[in-house]
Amino acid sequence: MPGISLIYNLKQSIEELFPNINLAIRQSIHNNDFKIIDLLKTKNLFIAGTKYENYPLDFLRNDEFKVILEGKIYNKSVGQINKEINSIIRKIGDKVALKMSVLKFISETDGDYLFLIYDSKKEMLFLFNDLLGRLPFYFTLWKSNIIISREIRFLSNILENRDYDKIGIAQSLLFGYPLGERTFIENFNRVPPASLIFISLKSGEWENSRLYNFNFEIKEHSNLSMQKCTDELIDLLTESCKARLSPNAKNVLSLSGGLDSRALAIILKSTMLDFSTATYLGYKEFADKDAVGAEEIARRLNLKWELIKVGTPKGIDVNKLIKYKNGLNTLSSVFLLTFYEQLVHKFGKNMVYITGDGGDKIFPDHRPAQKIRSLKELAEYLISNKYFFTPAKIERLLGIKEADLIEGITTLLYSYPEQGLEFKFERFTIVERGIKWLFEGEDRNRFFFWSVAPYYGQFVFNYAMNVPDNLKSGHKLYNNFLARLSPELLKVKNALWNVPADSSDIRFRTFNFMKDTVYPKLPGAVKRRLRMMITKTAKIDLTNHKQMNELVEKLSNNKIISNYFSVNELKKTKVMNKTEFYLLLTILLAIDDIEPSESILDSYYEQEFI
């Protein structure tokens, strides 16, 4: 992953670790476009970065301190950023004042960023990220070493050995991602949003603090009308779009047949700024409907539009994604790598890729459709609505009982700041899936070009999450928002739903009733089958796919994997849907890749994956 990596020993020199460190940083060079930047080295401290030419990672000008900024800030000039960072630095001797100063900065700063600041005189180091945690990074403490990196691979390559987190693996098989701060490696933690990590290089004292946490139970705009909320969101999203487009790069909107990207297309068109749109067609099952809808939207708005065909991914593509995201990006998205490669070929690496990620998080009412009476019931409801592998199947694969899975989820739900169960459900939907699925997906994009999501603009997100849920229910807010932007484009079918998004259309009202009222009350197995039908997710039988079956068999024989998974159950698991297959394969291949041995994928580079 492009970005910052750091190792600090609390007690002694890190000289003996330099072979591991050099290996770890070299293995973060994923292609010929990447290069290593040595940012800082002392007896106990190593900081480096990896980047390609246009990736935003650099020093800010400062005569007294080293100030490293990874990412971009959209609402402030470089001069203003320098001034405010200097103000923060002056508080470095007072931790309480430092925290207050950093919190003020991140509360007022719209961006996707990570700051690292080093004071050589006071021998102090601190780093902090933005309010939403837009650039995922990871932390572990090992043998008095603090290791921090944007890439799991860097952490794992420094350690002599590692253990895997069975609960994290089980959660990944259940929901598609590990929950809370977990990854699937023991004690490798995802750093939360709005975090400040402080290290005294002189004393070895360190602290990891979370400065802010949203509470989705608080709705500050409860007294506002639908009209007012809609007008404000249009203005805020317009500013978010304008701020993220670059005058010095090719701006490319990923246009689908859904609602989120069409709203961005309308807004970007209204700004008169130069941008293109692109849509993929091919491997993913419902991409044909997306392409039809995208073409119609582009035609009606008179946009520059590229249709890019992607083929079936091969082992070499799978290997790339495993190495890029180390199991934190499911292989069901591997086909996108060829889409991105073609975008780079068409528009150049100096491009800004604009996604509609987050629209489906900020606009709908995410409260559960039925009355929930306890945390345990909420955990069971979440599983019923969201699961991929069944808890029974997970128990057979990993030996983790359903009761233990539920207990882990209830413990997480209890820790949420919201008190009402319906708002805890809302947080799970917005934060767990939003950060663990969407943000990690955007990080996959950043291996190729800078990727932005205007709906996750800080001021857009904050305003939308303070709109009361009664205005969002039944998609009223989103429908009103889209109708204000373009009533005509409401009539274009939402590709996923296969109905127009127009609330005056009986097809939309019927679908909406079924989706929000009937579907959530169905048994979990029925919901799962319906999800597969809507997304056209096929079942596969590995006995009919000799090389894929052989690959799973080989992975089952990996000694590390056999310590965590039931080998017999892995070898017996032949029939599953494609999403399940890719979820399981993601974890197995990531473990195989992390462990110091020849990768199994080396002999499958030209093999097409089902």
Side-chain angles (χ1 to χ4, degrees):
M1 182 67 230
I4 294 170
S5 293
L6 172 157
I7 179 167
Y8 169 69
N9 190 287
L10 305 173
K11 297 178 180 179
Q12 61 190 32
S13 169
I14 58 172
E15 184 177 355
E16 65 184 37
L17 286 176
F18 278 150
N20 288 24
I21 293 171
N22 290 332
L23 171 68
I25 201 69
R26 284 200 309 272
Q27 291 208 359
S28 298
I29 300 297
H30 292 281
N31 59 52
N32 293 334
D33 293 334
F34 278 57
K35 64 179 180 180
I36 298 171
I37 303 175
D38 290 329
L39 298 173
L40 186 62
K41 285 183 182 178
T42 70
K43 179 182 177 182
N44 301 77
L45 177 67
F46 170 90
I47 306 174
T50 57
K51 61 171 288 185
Y52 47 82
E53 183 178 355
N54 297 298
Y55 186 80
L57 170 62
D58 215 338
F59 287 101
L60 293 184
R61 291 185 62 185
N62 193 296
D63 295 333
E64 298 181 60
F65 309 94
K66 286 191 179 294
V67 180
I68 301 162
L69 169 60
E70 178 180 354
K72 292 188 179 184
I73 291 171
Y74 305 115
N75 67 325
K76 294 178 179 178
S77 68
V78 174
Q80 186 177 359
I81 295 167
N82 272 317
K83 181 179 177 182
E84 293 180 13
I85 291 297
N86 282 332
S87 177
I88 290 171
I89 289 169
R90 286 195 290 271
K91 313 289 196 310
I92 200 167
D94 182 338
K95 279 198 289 186
V96 173
L98 177 66
K99 289 177 183 178
M100 295 283 288
S101 185
V102 172
L103 177 58
K104 181 177 187 299
F105 178 86
I106 65 176
S107 299
E108 298 171 351
T109 304
D110 178 30
D112 313 317
Y113 60 84
L114 173 62
F115 270 99
L116 190 150
I117 299 169
Y118 171 67
D119 182 344
S120 59
K121 290 181 181 177
K122 294 181 180 177
E123 295 187 68
M124 291 182 179
L125 173 77
F126 65 96
L127 64 159
F128 61 89
N129 59 349
D130 61 78
L131 204 66
L132 295 175
R134 294 280 298 138
L135 303 183
F137 71 112
Y138 314 95
F139 172 98
T140 193
L141 186 62
W142 172 72
K143 290 185 176 179
S144 302
N145 293 288
I146 291 174
I147 312 172
I148 298 169
S149 182
R150 289 271 283 117
E151 184 162 354
I152 288 283
R153 172 176 292 273
F154 181 85
L155 277 66
S156 64
N157 277 326
I158 289 177
L159 271 64
E160 293 166 357
N161 49 60
R162 65 213 55 78
D163 295 318
Y164 293 90
D165 183 346
K166 266 196 176 186
I167 295 292
I169 293 171
Q171 291 172 349
S172 296
L173 294 177
L174 188 66
F175 295 116
Y177 41 84
L179 304 180
E181 296 176 20
R182 290 181 187 274
T183 64
F184 67 93
I185 305 178
E186 194 76 48
N187 298 321
F188 281 26
N189 297 321
R190 186 192 312 270
V191 180
S195 286
L196 171 67
I197 299 176
F198 172 91
I199 304 172
S200 170
L201 306 180
K202 187 183 297 183
S203 68
E205 176 191 6
W206 68 278
E207 183 180 338
N208 186 357
S209 305
R210 185 162 188 181
L211 303 180
Y212 181 82
N213 199 355
F214 286 94
N215 187 328
F216 298 123
E217 201 161 10
I218 299 169
K219 306 292 180 183
E220 293 181 356
H221 305 324
S222 295
N223 61 334
L224 300 183
S225 67
M226 175 74 80
Q227 192 70 33
K228 175 67 173 175
C229 290
T230 302
D231 289 346
E232 289 286 346
L233 281 168
I234 288 174
D235 289 345
L236 287 168
L237 189 57
T238 300
E239 287 305 310
S240 184
C241 286
K242 288 164 65 176
R244 283 159 172 76
L245 264 65
S246 171
N248 303 314
K250 294 285 187 181
N251 300 292
V252 182
L253 171 65
S254 178
L255 184 63
S256 72
L259 304 182
D260 306 324
S261 62
R262 84 175 63 177
L264 294 184
I266 299 164
I267 288 174
L268 288 169
K269 176 77 173 178
S270 73
T271 66
M272 305 300 290
L273 297 169
D274 186 48
F275 73 101
S276 299
T277 64
T279 306
Y280 64 77
L281 175 66
Y283 177 70
K284 201 160 185 178
E285 287 82 355
F286 52 86
D288 52 347
K289 288 184 180 179
D290 257 332
V292 170
E295 183 177 21
E296 185 172 356
I297 292 163
R299 179 180 56 78
R300 292 194 184 202
L301 291 173
N302 193 28
L303 301 176
K304 292 178 281 188
W305 181 65
E306 294 286 338
L307 181 64
I308 295 178
K309 296 181 180 179
V310 299
T312 303
K314 294 185 177 182
I316 191 168
D317 304 306
V318 171
N319 188 58
K320 285 178 186 176
L321 187 54
I322 288 294
K323 283 180 162 51
Y324 289 170
K325 290 306 301 173
N326 312 121
L328 295 176
N329 216 213
T330 173
L331 289 173
S332 60
S333 65
V334 68
F335 71 96
L336 286 170
L337 299 190
T338 57
F339 175 53
Y340 299 152
E341 286 165 358
Q342 291 187 66
L343 284 177
V344 170
H345 180 74
K346 175 70 181 177
F347 297 103
K349 211 169 182 71
N350 184 26
M351 61 174 275
V352 175
Y353 183 67
I354 309 157
T355 78
D357 287 353
D360 64 332
K361 297 294 177 286
I362 69 170
F363 280 109
D365 174 9
H366 292 295
R367 294 172 299 176
Q370 63 189 54
K371 183 68 174 176
I372 304 292
R373 292 176 289 274
S374 69
L375 283 172
K376 181 174 182 292
E377 193 174 310
L378 179 55
E380 291 169 343
Y381 181 78
L382 277 165
I383 292 172
S384 172
N385 274 277
K386 309 288 186 183
Y387 78 93
F388 292 106
F389 277 84
T390 65
K393 180 67 173 176
I394 290 170
E395 182 174 347
R396 292 196 299 272
L397 281 167
L398 294 166
I400 294 175
K401 296 185 181 301
E402 182 174 359
D404 294 330
L405 261 182
I406 290 173
E407 183 182 355
I409 297 168
T410 56
T411 300
L412 177 70
L413 294 169
Y414 179 79
S415 73
Y416 288 171
E418 296 81 9
Q419 296 302 305
L421 294 174
E422 69 271 32
F423 296 108
K424 288 180 182 289
F425 180 84
E426 184 175 336
R427 166 174 283 276
F428 186 97
T429 303
I430 293 165
V431 172
E432 299 298 337
R433 181 170 175 85
I435 291 178
K436 314 303 163 48
W437 189 279
L438 297 180
F439 287 14
E440 292 287 357
E442 285 185 82
D443 244 20
R444 172 198 61 228
N445 306 351
R446 295 189 186 106
F447 277 87
F448 298 86
F449 32 63
W450 188 245
S451 182
V452 299
Y455 290 109
Y456 280 120
Q458 179 170 306
F459 305 122
V460 178
F461 181 86
N462 189 52
Y463 189 95
M465 298 320 302
N466 277 287
V467 173
D469 292 303
N470 65 297
L471 293 186
K472 295 181 175 183
S473 64
H475 289 269
K476 291 194 294 287
L477 176 66
Y478 209 175
N479 194 265
N480 196 59
F481 178 85
L482 291 164
R484 288 290 310 282
L485 291 175
S486 174
E488 278 302 305
L489 283 183
L490 276 178
K491 296 177 170 49
V492 178
K493 286 183 178 180
N494 180 339
L496 183 59
W497 300 352
N498 202 32
V499 298
D502 187 351
S503 61
S504 65
D505 192 304
I506 185 64
R507 291 170 293 175
F508 170 80
R509 295 202 301 272
T510 302
F511 180 86
N512 200 44
F513 174 76
M514 296 297 292
K515 179 174 70 72
D516 292 344
T517 305
V518 176
Y519 170 83
K521 298 176 182 178
L522 297 172
V526 176
K527 283 185 266 193
R528 187 161 171 262
R529 281 197 293 271
L530 284 171
R531 288 200 303 269
M532 288 173 61
M533 287 171 57
I534 290 170
T535 57
K536 295 184 178 179
T537 304
K539 272 192 174 275
I540 60 173
D541 186 342
L542 289 182
T543 57
N544 298 325
H545 298 277
K546 181 181 177 182
Q547 288 187 293
M548 291 299 98
N549 190 45
E550 177 190 86
L551 176 60
V552 173
E553 291 268 348
K554 286 182 179 179
L555 288 164
S556 303
N557 294 327
N558 179 302
K559 289 182 179 179
I560 301 297
I561 288 171
S562 65
N563 287 339
Y564 297 91
F565 284 84
S566 163
V567 173
N568 288 338
E569 190 62 33
L570 278 174
K571 291 184 176 182
K572 279 181 6 187
T573 301
K574 301 298 182 185
V575 180
M576 61 190 108
N577 68 57
K578 192 178 287 188
T579 303
E580 288 177 316
F581 175 67
Y582 272 126
L583 274 175
L584 180 61
L585 203 59
T586 300
I587 299 296
L588 298 179
L589 285 173
I591 294 173
D592 176 73
D593 182 69
I594 286 170
E595 293 302 316
S597 59
E598 185 179 349
S599 172
I600 283 176
L601 276 173
D602 288 349
S603 57
Y604 290 85
Y605 271 18
E606 295 305 315
Q607 170 63 38
E608 288 192 346
F609 273 60
I610 52 179

